[in-house]
Amino acid sequence: MEVEKMLIIGSVLLFLSIGSSKLSSKLGIPTLLFFLMIGALLNKYWDTFPGFSRVTSPHENMMIARNLGIITLVLVLFSGGLETDFQHIRPILWSGILLSTLGAFITALVVGLFLQWVTADNFGLRLSEGVLVGAIVASTDAAAVFSILRARNIQLKANLGELLELESGSNDVMVFFLMTFLLDLLNHSEASGIMKEVGALKVVPMFLQEMVIGGLGGFCMGYAMMYIINTINLSYPALYPALTLSLLFLTYGGVNKLHGSGFLAVYISGMILGSHDLIHKKSLIRFYKGIGWLMQIIMFVALGFVVVFKELIGVADLGIKLALVVMLVARPLSVFISLAFSKLQTKHKAFVSWVGLRGAVPIVFGMYLYRDNLPERKDLLFHLIYFVVILSVLIQGTTLYPLAKWLKLENRVVTARKQKQEKQRSDIIRREFRHLEVPPDSPANAKAIVQLGLPESVYIAVIHRGKKQYLGPRGDTKVQAGDRLIVMFDTKKDLKELKACFGVR
């Protein structure tokens, strides 16, 4: 296909996808579903356009969509982490971990038992195949959760927003682990003593390895990224997003090569950056929001290309039953068991049960069924997963906001995180100002402003250096001994902390 044709098709698709987001917000339908529909319709009618023919096979479409999905998930998880302050998720940390591990396991088991029972007279799915489907649809999609909660600007009480984002950002570890284990199990299903050959005793150590290496890798790379960004002092500020992009993919690829969870690593590294002072932080957040949305559009349109309508219609009856079991039985059961000892009220748990949105991630993971041509009924299993995702986004996504209002969970008071973001965007007004001179033995000497740990309410207005040099300070501006500062602050406590930072007595 000619380059010009490719550009025209790509631009039209992008325009239609972005335009559909306006329509979806008016109708209350999640934008991501429109992207899927555009891709699916284009896939069905592609050959009917004059001069257009398919340049890739269905298998190649599957591989392209899967790789796009992985890249997009990395960007979305990092962006979600970058907008998360650890102080806000600390109260619900253990609840989120239980929900993303034990909750995923319970969902997989319930779905597996249901599919084995309901398909006994027709498809005859084995328990291992049913649990495999359950494990994949247990993944709540970070992209879907982040986009719906933030696009509607929903502020939830009891840290529910943070809990949902933490779960969707971390449960991919458990889901990916269960999926790969079950694929190995199916690969050895003809042999006697299945569990012995697969090595069931290795399951827990393998999972712990994924979690530990992913967590440590994300922690180390997060602080390494913060140090590099704050000290490299690039001449062109526009290069900072490119710098973080390179470090981000290095984190994912490196941790995966060490047999850890790359998804968990990028989420944690983003959260570390989001919880500390960072040069050009607002610009980086805007960049990753934009690139995240662009990749989501491309990915969801690409995912539309992998569906076969004939297969999708063929599993409609079973797909509807499965989707209802996931939404009304498996998900609530997993939530109420995982959060049994939490302080959340029943209505909070009910809301979390309903907001277990499935999105692109289960479809991307479903493509792994084709990697080794296993299992035998991979087309049936894949389209069941696809069907569950569509119904989940359509039903749960459209009712999320009304349910929050009905349960009176919407927090109309601006949260602390929202206040912090608004403070960053608004003009800074302080009650008092003071002239300070940086002493020769100052601990701030030769350090960038972002490294000083200044109180949030303190603002350095001007740096007077030498006789005639006046600097408008940025985060990467380095303070020098002898600098005379005009600083603005709110309270005496701020002034005291400010003097301690600069070593002023």
Side-chain angles (χ1 to χ4, degrees), residues 71-328:
I71 294 171
T72 302
L73 184 56
V74 168
L75 290 168
V76 169
L77 287 173
F78 182 76
S79 177
L82 194 60
E83 294 183 74
T84 301
D85 191 327
F86 182 75
Q87 298 302 320
H88 294 114
I89 68 166
R90 187 192 295 272
I92 47 85
L93 181 61
W94 289 111
S95 296
I97 292 174
L98 281 174
L99 202 55
S100 62
T101 52
L102 178 61
F105 179 80
I106 293 172
T107 300
L109 187 60
V110 171
V111 169
L113 291 170
F114 168 76
L115 284 177
Q116 185 188 36
W117 169 66
V118 81
T119 63
D121 298 329
N122 42 27
F123 298 109
L125 291 176
R126 289 172 287 179
L127 178 62
S128 54
E129 291 175 313
V131 175
L132 175 60
V133 173
I136 293 174
V137 299
S139 174
T140 56
D141 193 346
V145 173
F146 291 158
S147 63
I148 291 176
L149 287 178
R150 289 173 182 169
R152 284 184 170 269
N153 197 24
I154 299 175
Q155 304 292 326
L156 298 171
K157 297 178 181 179
N159 292 317
L160 291 183
E162 286 78 5
L163 176 62
L164 291 166
E165 291 182 2
L166 176 61
E167 181 208 4
S168 62
S170 59
N171 68 357
D172 297 319
V173 184
M174 183 68 173
V175 169
F176 189 78
F177 166 75
L178 284 174
M179 179 187 69
T180 51
F181 170 70
L182 289 163
L183 285 173
D184 285 340
L185 185 66
L186 289 167
N187 194 29
H188 294 81
S189 61
E190 300 299 326
S192 59
I194 297 173
M195 298 308 292
K196 187 175 180 179
E197 288 205 29
V198 175
L201 294 177
K202 296 180 180 179
V203 171
V204 175
M206 285 171 58
F207 174 69
L208 290 176
Q209 173 184 306
E210 290 269 335
M211 291 286 283
V212 171
I213 295 178
L216 288 176
F219 184 84
C220 295
M221 284 301 298
Y223 277 99
M225 291 166 71
M226 183 175 68
Y227 177 79
I228 292 171
I229 293 169
N230 284 340
T231 59
I232 195 170
N233 195 21
L234 295 175
S235 302
Y236 301 99
L239 290 176
Y240 281 93
L243 172 66
T244 55
L245 203 59
S246 66
L247 296 172
L248 169 61
F249 288 122
L250 176 63
T251 301
Y252 174 78
V255 169
N256 267 2
K257 281 295 182 182
L258 294 174
H259 304 289
S261 171
F263 294 131
L264 181 63
V266 297
Y267 181 70
I268 289 177
S269 64
M271 192 163 57
I272 288 172
L273 293 182
S275 302
H276 293 83
D277 292 329
L278 197 68
I279 291 174
H280 304 300
K281 187 173 183 178
K282 290 187 291 183
S283 300
L284 289 174
I285 290 175
R286 283 196 295 267
F287 170 79
Y288 280 102
K289 274 186 178 180
I291 198 71
W293 265 109
L294 177 61
M295 289 302 300
Q296 284 182 63
I297 292 171
I298 295 171
M299 178 191 64
F300 272 87
V301 172
L303 288 177
F305 267 83
V306 303
V307 68
V308 178
F309 275 95
K310 185 178 178 181
E311 295 277 354
L312 199 61
I313 294 171
V315 301
D317 182 56
L318 180 58
I320 292 173
K321 293 176 182 176
L322 177 58
L324 291 175
V325 167
V326 171
M327 290 186 284
L328 301 177

Side-chain angles (χ1 to χ4, degrees), residues 196-487:
K196 187 175 180 179
E197 288 205 29
V198 175
L201 294 177
K202 296 180 180 179
V203 171
V204 175
M206 285 171 58
F207 174 69
L208 290 176
Q209 173 184 306
E210 290 269 335
M211 291 286 283
V212 171
I213 295 178
L216 288 176
F219 184 84
C220 295
M221 284 301 298
Y223 277 99
M225 291 166 71
M226 183 175 68
Y227 177 79
I228 292 171
I229 293 169
N230 284 340
T231 59
I232 195 170
N233 195 21
L234 295 175
S235 302
Y236 301 99
L239 290 176
Y240 281 93
L243 172 66
T244 55
L245 203 59
S246 66
L247 296 172
L248 169 61
F249 288 122
L250 176 63
T251 301
Y252 174 78
V255 169
N256 267 2
K257 281 295 182 182
L258 294 174
H259 304 289
S261 171
F263 294 131
L264 181 63
V266 297
Y267 181 70
I268 289 177
S269 64
M271 192 163 57
I272 288 172
L273 293 182
S275 302
H276 293 83
D277 292 329
L278 197 68
I279 291 174
H280 304 300
K281 187 173 183 178
K282 290 187 291 183
S283 300
L284 289 174
I285 290 175
R286 283 196 295 267
F287 170 79
Y288 280 102
K289 274 186 178 180
I291 198 71
W293 265 109
L294 177 61
M295 289 302 300
Q296 284 182 63
I297 292 171
I298 295 171
M299 178 191 64
F300 272 87
V301 172
L303 288 177
F305 267 83
V306 303
V307 68
V308 178
F309 275 95
K310 185 178 178 181
E311 295 277 354
L312 199 61
I313 294 171
V315 301
D317 182 56
L318 180 58
I320 292 173
K321 293 176 182 176
L322 177 58
L324 291 175
V325 167
V326 171
M327 290 186 284
L328 301 177
V329 181
R331 171 68 178 179
L333 194 62
S334 67
V335 169
F336 275 84
I337 292 176
S338 301
L339 302 180
F341 299 103
S342 74
K343 296 180 180 179
L344 293 176
Q345 300 175 21
T346 301
K347 67 177 184 178
H348 296 152
K349 296 174 185 177
F351 184 77
V352 172
S353 300
W354 190 245
V355 192
L357 288 172
R358 274 75 198 170
V361 178
I363 299 176
V364 173
F365 282 164
M367 295 175 192
Y368 280 84
L369 300 174
Y370 294 84
R371 188 177 57 180
D372 301 315
N373 292 321
L374 287 172
E376 295 177 1
R377 286 168 286 200
K378 55 185 176 293
D379 289 330
L380 168 65
L381 302 185
F382 176 77
H383 284 86
L384 274 178
I385 293 165
Y386 206 106
F387 208 97
V388 170
V389 168
I390 291 176
L391 287 185
S392 174
V393 175
L394 182 60
I395 297 173
Q396 293 174 294
T398 54
T399 55
L400 186 155
Y401 183 64
L403 181 62
K405 291 185 70 176
W406 183 65
L407 292 175
K408 298 180 180 179
L409 296 177
E410 186 184 15
N411 191 357
R412 297 186 180 277
V413 179
V414 182
T415 62
R417 182 172 67 180
K418 187 74 174 176
Q419 286 178 336
K420 185 176 180 180
Q421 291 172 345
E422 291 297 330
K423 188 187 296 183
Q424 290 174 341
R425 286 194 292 265
S426 63
D427 293 331
I428 300 173
I429 302 175
R430 298 290 177 256
R431 297 176 185 170
E432 300 186 41
F433 72 93
R434 188 70 58 89
H435 291 268
L436 292 180
E437 183 170 342
V438 181
D441 58 346
S442 171
N445 186 31
K447 286 185 178 180
I449 291 174
V450 75
Q451 297 174 305
L452 300 181
L454 298 174
E456 286 186 9
S457 61
V458 168
Y459 177 66
I460 301 176
V462 178
I463 297 178
H464 182 196
R465 181 170 296 166
K467 292 184 178 180
K468 297 182 179 181
Q469 191 176 9
Y470 292 88
L471 304 176
R474 304 185 312 176
D476 58 348
T477 303
K478 290 187 177 180
V479 176
Q480 295 181 9
D483 284 348
R484 292 173 296 283
L485 315 177
I486 298 178
V487 295

